[in-house]
């Protein structure tokens, strides 16, 4: 298929080739996401500021008369058409990408939304895999969307996001927060989403930045051990929080208690940080607290029209993820640090979980070519293979396509 122009006709044709023509065949789309600031805060009760992209995942689906699930991905033709059953929704490492849709069908069922017949589904994604742009959350939310429409389930998009997260946590085994699924399910053209992950209260912030583009820089470094490191960071934050809570019980410094790291100001944290026994955990918690406050300030700066301040906070976010949270690595540091030197770059930082994947930058339109040229050269010289650059647009959430 031609990546450049995905049409429903081409998708339907592909589907008919794999599964045969006829019947009620429906086409759906869900975006990928990029997070502008607020990293590793979503499982710490903090704020995030992501947006949905116009690249994403497509699905073509038709109900079956039996309980069989047949799936095919245009991106993984070597896997062929896989066959499963509604009665065997269990995780298998060797089942690869099909674990995501299977996990969502399982998570929906566990939440009371029971698919009563099998499906034939073709998937096609335009998000580079393992890039940190949430190709997995995109498949999850997309599957939630198609189940809702095909089976008439009456859940809203926030519930769709929660079902996707439940699948990721309980079926796939990645202890992620709600950011990715929320950003995708609630995506809105030209807007970033300012979300308080402690309450799920959210606000759309228009991101029409005259003459400024969002450029994503892909390290092309696959995440490898990322999932176990991710769970490790999360556990470190939980332990640090428990230490702070225990200290607060005796001192009662914060009378209403500390429900999460995101509930603390920088000053409150500094006054209590010694209660965290290990210097490493102290750094992790410091990142979670400061990144949350940075995110709140960044959105205030944006609303005040101060894009330069927003960019500075993006850069500070990267430094904190590099030095305190230690999730960047050589590849992401090379991209961000090279981008900071290019005139016209307002801000640049890693995005997503880290350990490889992508960085995001805000760049003046007339400097986009220079960014790609200069950062591209520096990256290849330092790392030994090229980075990839995407000038992206902010798109809407999931939908059924006509
Ligand atoms: C991954 C997770 C998210 C979030 C980010 C880091 O994308 O899926 O829940 O924790 O990492 O901000």
């Amino acid at each position: 298929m031609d990546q450049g122009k995905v049409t429903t006709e081409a998708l339907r044709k592909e589907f008919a080739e794999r599964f045969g023509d006829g019947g009620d065949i429906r086409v759906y789309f869900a975006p990928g996401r990029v997070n502008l600031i607020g990293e590793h805060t979503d499982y710490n009760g903090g704020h995030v500021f992501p947006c949905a992209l116009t690249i994403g995942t497509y699905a073509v689906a038709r109900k079956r008369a039996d309980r069989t699930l047949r799936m095919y991905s245009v991106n993984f033709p070597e896997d062929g058409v896989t066959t499963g059953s509604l009665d065997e929704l269990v995780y298998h490492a060797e089942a690869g990408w099909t674990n995501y849709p299977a996990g969502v069908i399982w998570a929906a069922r566990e939440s009371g939304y029971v698919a009563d017949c099998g499906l034939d589904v073709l998937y096609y994604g335009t998000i580079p895999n393992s890039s940190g742009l949430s190709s997995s959350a995109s498949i999850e939310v997309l599957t939630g969307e198609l189940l809702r429409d095909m089976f008439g389930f009456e859940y809203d998009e926030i519930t769709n996001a929660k079902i996707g997260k439940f699948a990721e946590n309980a079926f796939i085994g990645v202890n992620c927060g709600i950011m990715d699924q929320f950003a995708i399910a609630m995506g809105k053209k030209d807007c970033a989403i300012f979300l308080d992950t402690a309450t799920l209260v959210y606000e759309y912030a228009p991101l029409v930045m005259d003459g400024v583009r969002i450029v994503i820089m892909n390290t092309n470094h696959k995440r490898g051990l990322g999932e176990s490191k991710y769970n490790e960071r999360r556990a470190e934050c939980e332990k640090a929080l428990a230490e702070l809570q225990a200290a607060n019980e005796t001192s009662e410094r914060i009378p209403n208690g500390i429900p999460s790291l995101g509930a603390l100001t920088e000053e409150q944290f500094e006054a209590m940080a010694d209660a965290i026994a290990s210097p490493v955990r102290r750094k992790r918690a410091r990142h979670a607290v400061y990144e949350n406050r940075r995110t709140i300030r960044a959105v205030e700066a944006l609303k005040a029209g101060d894009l330069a301040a927003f960019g500075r906070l993006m850069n500070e976010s990267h430094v904190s993820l590099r030095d305190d949270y230690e999730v960047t690595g050589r590849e992401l540091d090379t991209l961000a640090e090279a981008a900071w030197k290019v005139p016209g770059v307002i801000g640049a930082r890693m995005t997503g979980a880290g350990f490889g994947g992508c960085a995001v930058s805000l760049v003046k339109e007339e400097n986009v070519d220079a960014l790609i040229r200069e950062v591209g050269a520096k990256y290849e010289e330092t790392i030994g293979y090229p980075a990839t650059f995407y000038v992206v647009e902010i798109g809407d959430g999931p939908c059924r396509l006509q």
Side-chain angles (χ1 to χ4, degrees):
M1 277 194 32
D2 180 356
Q3 264 250 17
K5 42 178 175 27
V6 183
T7 61
T8 52
E9 289 71 36
L11 289 163
R12 284 173 180 277
K13 186 163 165 277
E14 229 14 90
F15 179 90
E17 275 168 26
R18 305 294 155 192
F19 298 109
D21 221 343
D24 182 8
I25 300 170
R26 302 185 186 182
V27 186
Y28 302 87
F29 172 77
R33 70 97 187 88
V34 67
N35 188 23
L36 296 175
I37 192 161
E39 218 65 84
H40 289 280
T41 50
D42 67 343
Y43 50 84
N44 284 309
H47 292 74
V48 293
F49 196 50
C51 46
L53 299 171
T54 53
I55 51 172
T57 318
Y58 297 82
V60 189
R62 180 177 57 203
K63 280 186 176 176
R64 295 177 56 88
D66 56 17
R67 296 180 60 77
T68 301
L69 288 170
R70 291 203 299 160
M71 296 191 262
Y72 178 82
S73 167
V74 177
N75 303 83
F76 299 99
E78 63 280 9
D79 292 352
V81 173
T82 65
T83 303
S85 163
L86 283 181
D87 303 310
E88 282 160 45
L89 295 172
V90 274
Y91 178 87
H92 293 293
E94 63 283 3
W97 69 271
T98 62
N99 281 308
Y100 293 98
V104 171
I105 299 171
W106 172 86
R109 187 181 72 194
E110 295 295 299
S111 312
Y113 304 102
V114 184
D116 58 5
C117 68
L119 293 165
D120 292 333
V121 196
L122 173 134
Y123 287 93
Y124 175 56
T126 56
I127 309 166
N129 283 319
S130 303
S131 59
L133 303 179
S134 282
S135 58
S136 52
S138 179
I139 298 187
E140 287 160 358
V141 171
L142 175 66
T143 304
E145 188 73 12
L146 79 83
L147 290 178
R148 179 169 75 155
D149 184 63
M150 299 191 82
F151 293 96
F153 296 151
E154 288 181 349
Y155 48 75
D156 59 14
E157 283 302 348
I158 295 186
T159 306
N160 186 10
K162 287 181 180 167
I163 290 172
K165 174 180 183 286
F166 181 35
E168 187 82 41
N169 294 160
F171 195 89
I172 305 292
V174 176
N175 228 346
C176 67
I178 191 73
M179 172 172 73
D180 303 345
Q181 290 82 5
F182 197 99
I184 290 169
M186 299 297 287
K188 189 173 167 151
K189 189 171 164 36
D190 293 332
C191 287
I193 308 171
F194 182 46
L195 169 68
D196 180 350
T197 63
T199 56
L200 294 194
V201 171
Y202 68 97
E203 189 189 317
Y204 288 113
L207 255 195
V208 219
M209 305 171 291
D210 257 352
V212 174
R213 304 302 303 264
I214 301 173
V215 182
I216 293 177
M217 313 181 275
N218 190 348
T219 60
N220 290 317
H221 176 71
K222 302 277 182 250
R223 269 181 289 161
L225 286 174
E227 283 166 12
S228 58
K229 291 268 182 224
Y230 183 92
N231 288 346
E232 183 187 290
R233 289 296 180 282
R234 184 168 180 155
E236 287 166 342
C237 286
E238 279 162 8
K239 179 112 199 270
L241 174 63
E243 289 169 290
L244 292 173
Q245 286 168 333
N248 193 51
E249 259 176 35
T250 35
S251 73
E252 287 191 17
R253 196 187 285 272
I254 300 168
N256 297 328
I258 312 172
S260 68
L261 293 174
L264 293 173
T265 62
E266 293 100 326
E267 294 74 24
Q268 287 171 328
F269 174 75
E270 294 302 344
M272 300 185 72
D274 285 348
I276 303 170
S278 114
V280 168
R281 277 200 303 280
R282 215 173 299 142
K283 287 204 295 185
R284 306 296 190 245
R286 179 178 299 120
H287 168 77
V289 171
Y290 279 68
E291 179 75 357
N292 178 46
R293 309 304 294 181
R294 244 191 311 271
T295 305
I296 296 170
R297 286 209 305 278
V299 176
E300 282 167 6
L302 193 71
K303 283 185 185 164
D306 191 349
L307 204 54
F310 187 89
R312 278 195 301 276
L313 291 162
M314 285 177 80
N315 299 351
E316 284 174 23
S317 164
H318 184 90
V319 171
S320 176
L321 288 155
R322 182 190 68 194
D323 299 345
D324 279 348
Y325 220 63
E326 297 180 281
V327 292
T328 55
R330 234 175 115 236
E331 293 81 5
L332 284 166
D333 289 341
T334 303
L335 286 180
E337 288 161 20
W340 296 340
K341 298 200 180 105
V342 179
V345 170
I346 294 155
R349 56 180 287 279
M350 61 149 270
T351 185
F355 315 106
C358 287
V360 58
S361 56
L362 298 185
V363 191
K364 294 208 173 115
E365 191 132 40
E366 62 270 26
N367 301 102
V368 168
D369 289 344
L371 171 92
I372 296 174
R373 198 176 50 243
E374 287 169 33
V375 176
K378 179 74 189 166
Y379 186 81
E380 192 159 358
E381 175 198 315
T382 314
I383 305 295
Y385 53 84
T388 316
F389 297 82
Y390 323 102
V391 182
V392 296
E393 310 282 341
I394 303 180
D396 281 318
C399 62
R400 180 174 164 189
L401 300 169
Q402 288 317 311

